[in-house]
Amino acid sequence: MFVRRVASQLARNGTLTSSLRQGTNTAPKRMMGTFEKLGESQSTTVVTGAFGLFCAGGLVYAGSSFFGTLSEKKRIEDEKEGRRLARRAKLEQELQAEEKKACCKSKQRVSFPAALNEEWTQIYKEIQDLLENPAYDDGSFGPVLVRLAWHAAGTYDAINTKDGGSNGATMRFSPESAHGANAGLKVARDLLEPVKQRHPNVSYADLWTFAAVVAIEAMGGPKIPWRNGRSDAPSAAACPPDGRLPNASRGSDHVRAIFYRMGLNDKEIVALAGAHALGRCHKDRSGYDGPWTNSPTTFSNDYYVQLLERKWTPRSWDGPLQYEDETKTLMMLPADLAFIQDPIFEDWTRKFAANEDLFFESFSQAFSKLLELGVPFPQ
């Protein structure tokens, strides 16, 4: 029981160490690494509590109501603690089940070109050759290619109009290319233009989504199931309205509304947010500034680890509200904090922080689904 209480306290307080990045095999060591320290702390608490009760002995004259009040408070606290422990135990069971599934599936990953025809294999190589560039951002175009595909696909409306999404590559046209959320993506579109010119029979829609898949794998991420078959819209008439992409300044209700409109669930929402391990914000584009992680060109579960490990406080600056860590080198947006403030989002954040294989598998499935939203593939 004490070990479970220690583990629960670790989870509740976000006391997660960098060993989270090593996967679930480090979990027992991580718990035991803090066991002795927390054990001493708990003992101190017990002694302190006993001393406080002893000192309160002078209040006995007030009658049994004082102790009755204490007893009632203790009962309420015990009930709360019991519910919390039950919830945490359920979460641990779910995590173990997800770990087993992810472990088996992760062994099935293969090199991506194996399933491609000759032309797409050549395009794969051409995209890989474009990725590294010391003169751009942190030395790679990978993150901005992922953002291009994400923003092209994230406009899908599965509830009302059944339009938007990656099919059509409508960001080629104004007004979509000028939407605030798409600021800076001309870099990615221009980067891929020579590839398109060398392969005129390939659609922009397929090329943009495929480039993100190649970039994620090249930056150390999982293989993303992908297929061609998207077509390009002939004009701006197919552009979706502005406002369909997530607003970084909003909280969990807004995030859910945006992603539920696409037909995605809570697990998929949190998994897709993990792409913030890549890249950075630019003040001259989104208005925000800085990277989410210390390795912005490496795909990992570090986004979740940083969310949980660090203390995030509002940054004092001349830009919109964003949060900074203790070192003032990393940042989070208001929408990012939703993933540790909303209980359901937080559960998935902790799962993905504790198990990178689980995150990779979940992201692979969610991102593949995102890229195919609204695409009329042949049956």
Side-chain angles (χ1 to χ4, degrees), residues 323-341:
Y323 296 83
E324 62 184 4
D325 72 330
E326 306 93 324
T327 67
K328 301 185 184 300
T329 58
L330 302 181
M331 70 92 207
M332 290 288 169
L333 305 172
D336 292 312
L337 294 191
F339 299 114
I340 55 175
Q341 293 170 342

Side-chain angles (χ1 to χ4, degrees), residues 111 233 250 307 310 353:
S111 179
R250 306 284 292 279
L307 265 174
R310 297 183 181 273

Side-chain angles (χ1 to χ4, degrees), residues 83-269:
R83 289 194 295 270
R84 186 180 67 79
L85 290 175
R87 179 169 172 269
R88 185 58 58 188
K90 182 180 178 181
L91 174 60
E92 291 172 354
Q93 291 174 354
E94 292 175 352
L95 176 58
Q96 290 174 359
E98 293 287 350
E99 287 172 350
K100 290 180 180 178
K101 290 193 293 184
C103 179
C104 294
K105 292 180 179 179
S106 65
K107 295 177 181 178
Q108 300 173 8
R109 295 176 191 153
V110 296
S111 179
F112 198 89
L116 303 177
N117 63 28
E118 184 176 349
E119 182 171 32
W120 281 107
T121 299
Q122 178 60 33
I123 293 172
Y124 177 94
K125 295 176 181 177
E126 291 178 22
I127 294 172
Q128 281 193 317
D129 290 342
L130 292 173
L131 293 178
E132 294 188 13
N133 188 323
Y136 182 76
D137 263 7
D138 299 289
S140 173
F141 284 112
V144 75
L145 291 178
V146 175
R147 181 168 169 250
L148 173 63
W150 207 120
H151 283 218
T155 59
Y156 184 64
D157 185 340
I159 298 176
N160 302 305
T161 59
K162 309 292 185 181
D163 63 4
S166 66
N167 197 55
T170 51
M171 203 190 302
R172 292 174 292 135
F173 306 112
S174 179
E176 187 178 355
S177 60
H179 289 172
N182 295 330
L185 289 178
K186 186 176 185 299
V187 171
R189 297 194 300 270
D190 289 350
L191 182 70
L192 294 174
E193 187 60 31
V195 180
K196 167 63 176 172
Q197 296 307 312
R198 289 191 292 271
H199 302 275
N201 294 326
V202 168
S203 70
Y204 282 100
D206 275 341
L207 179 61
W208 291 359
T209 54
F210 185 61
V213 167
V214 175
I216 288 169
E217 187 177 21
M219 290 185 287
K223 172 188 176 293
I224 310 293
W226 179 90
R227 53 180 167 162
N228 62 318
R230 297 163 186 80
S231 60
D232 293 334
S235 71
C239 287
D242 197 2
R244 286 194 179 179
L245 293 170
N247 186 326
S249 68
R250 306 284 292 279
S252 59
D253 288 345
H254 167 77
V255 171
R256 277 199 174 88
I258 292 292
F259 284 87
Y260 282 9
R261 186 210 69 223
M262 299 183 217
L264 300 171
N265 61 35
D266 287 343
K267 177 183 178 181
E268 292 165 334
I269 293 171

